[in-house]
Amino acid sequence: MSINSEYSRPIPSWRFWVPLLFQTALIITVPTQAIYTTVTGKTVILQTAPVDPYELLRGYSQTLRYDISNQDNLRNLPGWQKLPKEQPNGNKVTFIKPGTRFYVILEAPDSSNSTQLPIPWKPVGLSAKFPSRLPANQIPLKGVANYGSIEYGLETYYMPEDQREQINEELNSARQENSNRPISPPPIVMEIKVDAQGNALPIGIWALVSKDSQQQIRKYRF
């Protein structure tokens, strides 16, 4: 067989289709997971971290932290001692080893009040493995340890500029009216959906705002 005949041999079509199908599967997986979590997930409320809530909605992307983002708030929970630890920079205080994946077990509040902000769920335990048996009022939220903090895939999100400006205006009005009355915890909570595997998706923000000199509870959907 000549060299020319070897080069003219047609390339099998599967060499094109297999990579294409693989790339297509990757593209489809992300929105499919989001749709699954939105449709089947349980609604959970998270309390934002006690920082100035009026500086959260700046720029093209926003960053939120939550009470359960701080490892110090989880140290006394059942399961903490079983997670791998390290002492950064010789510090006597131990933290969960960065990169460790685990689950924070959240429990629903006993009641809710429609005239106030939704009540946040509270952490009641930690688990290195997926907890397969939990009461109906509890759900595991998947997280990964960072340096002194925990990330849940709910930290950075994007919001249209007009919606962001509206929220900022209303939050600033509320801050001015309550300048002499410190608010703790922050008057912002996050509504998320958590599916059966512990994956979470942000749905919207509930906030105590001021409109026409009157305080209102508002929800802003993503």
Side-chain angles (χ1 to χ4, degrees):
M1 181 180 295
S2 66
I3 296 178
N4 290 335
S5 62
E6 290 181 357
Y7 278 99
S8 62
R9 181 182 301 171
I11 299 177
S13 60
W14 63 266
R15 292 190 177 182
F16 294 99
W17 286 109
V18 171
L20 180 60
L21 291 174
F22 179 73
Q23 294 176 11
T24 301
L26 290 178
I27 295 173
I28 293 176
T29 298
V30 174
T32 299
Q33 177 63 54
I35 294 173
Y36 171 80
T37 302
T38 302
V39 174
T40 67
K42 180 178 291 188
T43 299
V44 172
I45 302 296
L46 298 181
Q47 175 62 59
T48 57
V51 296
D52 186 354
Y54 310 102
E55 296 298 328
L56 294 176
L57 308 178
R58 305 298 182 192
Y60 293 102
S61 64
Q62 291 75 47
T63 300
L64 281 177
R65 291 292 183 268
Y66 310 93
D67 279 358
I68 60 173
S69 299
N70 189 340
Q71 292 193 26
D72 289 336
N73 294 335
L74 307 178
R75 293 181 182 277
N76 296 324
L77 295 180
W80 169 268
Q81 298 297 336
K82 296 182 179 180
L83 297 174
K85 308 293 194 309
E86 71 171 20
Q87 293 177 309
N89 302 323
N91 195 324
K92 293 182 179 180
V93 179
T94 60
F95 293 94
I96 302 172
K97 185 176 181 180
T100 301
R101 297 184 181 276
F102 62 102
Y103 297 87
V104 177
I105 302 172
L106 300 174
E107 184 174 278
D110 295 332
S111 61
S112 61
N113 190 334
S114 60
T115 63
Q116 299 178 357
L117 284 174
I119 301 176
W121 290 42
K122 64 178 182 179
V124 295
L126 307 174
S127 178
K129 298 181 179 180
F130 181 80
S132 57
R133 295 183 179 180
L134 290 175
N137 65 336
Q138 295 182 1
I139 195 168
L141 176 62
K142 185 186 300 182
V144 58
N146 203 338
Y147 292 92
S149 64
I150 303 170
E151 297 180 353
Y152 302 94
L154 301 167
E155 288 72 29
T156 302
Y157 59 96
Y158 300 88
M159 183 180 294
E161 183 177 0
D162 56 345
Q163 185 180 22
R164 185 175 66 248
E165 290 180 352
Q166 176 189 0
I167 298 175
N168 281 329
E169 179 182 351
E170 294 177 345
L171 288 177
N172 283 328
S173 296
R175 176 177 59 176
Q176 294 173 6
E177 293 183 7
N178 292 277
S179 59
N180 297 324
R181 293 182 298 171
I183 301 175
S184 181
I188 297 178
V189 296
M190 174 70 77
E191 178 179 325
I192 65 174
K193 287 276 190 158
V194 184
D195 66 21
Q197 288 74 46
N199 302 304
L201 187 72
I203 300 299
I205 292 175
W206 290 84
L208 175 63
V209 303
S210 181
K211 187 71 172 179
D212 300 327
S213 299
Q214 292 186 354
Q215 289 191 337
Q216 302 176 3
I217 303 299
R218 295 286 299 275
K219 180 179 180 180
Y220 306 94
R221 297 190 65 86
F222 296 144

